[in-house]
Structure formats: structure tokens, C-alpha cells
Amino acid sequence: MSKWITRERPKIDRIACPWLIKRFIDKDAEIIYVPFGEVEKKARQLDAIPFDIPGVEFTHYDDQCTFDYFVKKYKIKDPAVHTMATIVRGADTDRHDLAMQSSGLWAISAGLGYNFKSDQEQLQIGMILYDALYSWAKHLQKEKHTQQPVENLLLNVFNNFLQHKTGSKKKPPAWAQELKELIQDHIDTNLSLKELSKGLEINPSYLSREFSKYFEDLSFGEYIRKLRIEKATELIRSSNYSLTEIAYLTGFSDQSHFTRIFKKYTGKNPSAYKKSALKK
């Protein structure tokens, strides 16, 4: 019996991968969930294989999720599993355009986590969920809902009308709003897109690639610097902090770095900006 270990509070990959392990690799496998910081230590103690955390073999690669790696590693040829892999990848990396079922899988998985606080309970129910998804992928993909063709045509016309009326601009995904709030709350700290991606449970490569679409066409670094300078100018105008204190409060590593970036964005060094602000 093999042992597999990953971080607690599973969502997509950390339920889908155990399902794949138990159904195609080792039906008697033990799945263990522990806090993120304890995974590698407990893996050594329990002689378990870690998965779906950074820096281990069984993890994300490029735009592929951990489920994809299991399929590739164990050479699973079942077409139904390959269909599922696309759905799982879309749900796990917030790329719901990959498969129309991805957004539904994400919604059900999020609800599962909300209803069951025990990771093992989530796994137990999740096994049933993925068994159902597998049956659909293997036997029922061509089945249609019982709506009549005319009904479908009317729905398509109505949806096209709504799209035209509201404009073609896509609504930002939930992760973009959550990321914006995280950045705002931690603007004075040494922010890393890789670390933020862990909290959002999104592949860092995907996050880096998609970031500018929802953040003013700026890269992650450009957006952070812009926010920091905006906060710095606000503090200069409305507080009695020294420029050294403002540099610290806005997350700059040192005074010279702060001065250089500030001048690049405002055209003035901080002391000159402060003098003109005081005159006003």
C-alpha cells in the first residue's frame, strides 16, 4: 500500500489526483492531508510521496496541473481520463475556457469544501464526484439534455443578445479580485507572485501570463511599483512621516531605490515633490 501526502483543505487537484491514484495506480493507497508547511517533513517521517506542492516531482509543470503529470507519469491511456484531465486542468488553473465543464467542476468543488471541513470527508465525497465525471466522460459525452432544438436556438439568440448588450469585455475572474485585495493588504511587504499564487492555488506561470489582462496592462512588478508610488505620494501629502519612513511603509528596500523609482514615475525626487506639496 502506497502513501501519498499533500496540503490540507483540498480543492481540485488534491481530490482529483487521489481519485486517479486509487482508481488507476493503487486502489489501497493512503491519502494524507497536512498543513502546507509540514508536507515535506511528514512525507519523510511517514515514507509518503508528496504531491501538488512546489518543488516535488508530482506537481504543476508549465500550464499543466498535477493531475496531468500523474496521467503522463503512469502512462494512463484511457480516453475518458484524458477528457477529465482537460476539465481538471481548466478548473484547477482557472482556465475555464479549456472545457465547458471546468467552471462547473470548480463550483461543485468549492461547495464541497464549504460544506465539509474534514479533508477526509471531502475526499470520500469527492471520490463519488469523480467516479460520476469519469462515467460521463466514458459513456455519456454525446448525451444531450431533453430540450428541443427550437428551445436551444432561442436560448442561443437570447444569450447572444445579452452579450451584445453588455459588451464583449470579459468579467474579471474571481482570482483577479482576490489577488488585487491581497496586493493592497500587503503592499508594504516583499511581495512575490510565486508566493501569492500558492494562496490563490493557481499555477504561477499561468498567473504571470494572465496578470496584465486584469491589471491595467501592467506586469506584476510594474503594477506593484505603481501602487507603491501612489501610496507614497498620498502619504507625502497627508502625513508627517519622514521620507525614510514613507519608503519603509511602501515596501521599498532602501531610500535610494525609493528615490529612483519615485522620480521615474513622478518626474521629481521625493524631497522636491514634498516641497511642492507643502506649498500647495
Side-chain angles (χ1 to χ4, degrees):
M1 180 182 75
S2 59
K3 293 181 181 179
W4 299 82
I5 190 165
T6 189
R7 50 203 166 101
E8 62 187 352
R9 306 307 299 148
K11 285 287 191 304
I12 306 292
D13 247 348
R14 283 166 287 141
I15 296 290
C17 292
W19 174 86
L20 192 65
I21 291 167
K22 283 178 166 290
R23 295 295 186 256
F24 287 86
I25 300 167
D26 177 6
K27 66 183 179 62
D28 297 317
E30 180 182 358
I31 309 299
I32 304 163
Y33 296 104
V34 296
F36 175 75
E38 298 180 17
V39 175
E40 293 188 80
K41 181 181 72 174
K42 291 287 187 183
R44 290 190 294 270
Q45 291 176 353
L46 301 171
D47 193 24
I49 304 169
F51 69 96
D52 202 44
I53 64 167
V56 301
E57 179 186 359
F58 293 87
T59 189
H60 287 228
Y61 291 92
D62 299 322
D63 62 346
Q64 305 280 291
C65 66
T66 308
F67 190 92
D68 290 303
Y69 184 75
F70 271 99
V71 173
K72 181 179 178 182
K73 173 76 174 181
Y74 288 96
K75 297 180 173 59
I76 299 172
K77 304 297 184 184
D78 189 323
V81 172
H82 284 259
T83 296
M84 291 176 66
T86 305
I87 298 169
V88 170
R89 187 186 321 131
D92 193 60
T93 61
D94 204 23
R95 294 178 62 198
H96 297 169
D97 57 304
L98 292 181
M100 66 176 66
Q101 297 81 15
S102 293
S103 56
L105 178 60
W106 162 249
I108 291 170
S109 300
L112 188 66
Y114 183 86
N115 288 344
F116 296 92
K117 303 309 176 188
S118 163
D119 297 337
Q120 290 299 329
E121 278 187 307
Q122 283 194 62
L123 176 59
Q124 184 180 357
I125 303 300
M127 294 294 290
I128 299 171
L129 169 68
Y130 282 94
D131 279 342
L133 184 59
Y134 177 77
S135 293
W136 169 83
K138 196 165 187 72
H139 306 293
L140 304 168
Q141 283 193 60
K142 294 183 180 179
E143 291 289 324
K144 302 295 182 184
H145 193 263
T146 54
Q147 289 174 323
Q148 296 299 315
V150 174
E151 288 182 86
N152 288 326
L153 180 61
L154 288 172
L155 283 172
N156 286 335
V157 170
F158 181 64
N159 286 331
N160 287 334
F161 166 74
L162 286 180
Q163 271 192 337
H164 178 74
K165 189 175 180 180
T166 57
S168 59
K169 191 175 180 180
K170 284 179 67 176
K171 182 181 178 182
W175 66 258
Q177 183 57 41
E178 189 176 348
L179 179 57
K180 188 171 288 188
E181 292 170 1
L182 281 171
I183 291 172
Q184 291 283 1
D185 290 343
H186 298 87
I187 197 64
D188 59 337
T189 63
N190 186 21
L191 291 167
S192 157
L193 193 61
K194 187 174 182 180
E195 288 300 317
L196 289 169
S197 70
K198 292 178 187 175
L200 295 170
E201 297 189 327
I202 296 176
N203 181 279
S205 299
Y206 169 76
L207 193 57
S208 177
R209 186 173 64 250
E210 296 292 303
F211 186 91
S212 63
K213 293 181 183 178
Y214 308 105
F215 291 85
E216 305 174 28
D217 289 322
L218 299 173
S219 69
F220 177 70
E222 291 168 339
Y223 183 75
I224 294 295
R225 287 190 288 273
K226 176 179 177 290
L227 289 192
R228 285 175 171 168
I229 295 304
E230 288 175 353
K231 184 176 179 181
T233 57
E234 181 185 343
L235 289 172
I236 288 173
R237 291 194 303 267
S238 63
S239 75
N240 295 319
Y241 290 119
S242 70
L243 293 178
T244 301
E245 289 171 324
I246 290 173
Y248 172 77
L249 289 169
T250 51
F252 287 94
S253 56
D254 56 58
Q255 184 74 31
S256 62
H257 184 217
F258 170 56
T259 300
R260 186 170 67 254
I261 300 300
F262 191 94
K263 188 172 183 178
K264 179 182 177 182
Y265 277 81
T266 66
K268 296 179 180 180
N269 62 40
S271 56
Y273 187 93
K274 187 173 185 178
K275 284 178 184 177
S276 61
L278 288 173
K279 287 179 182 177
K280 294 178 182 178

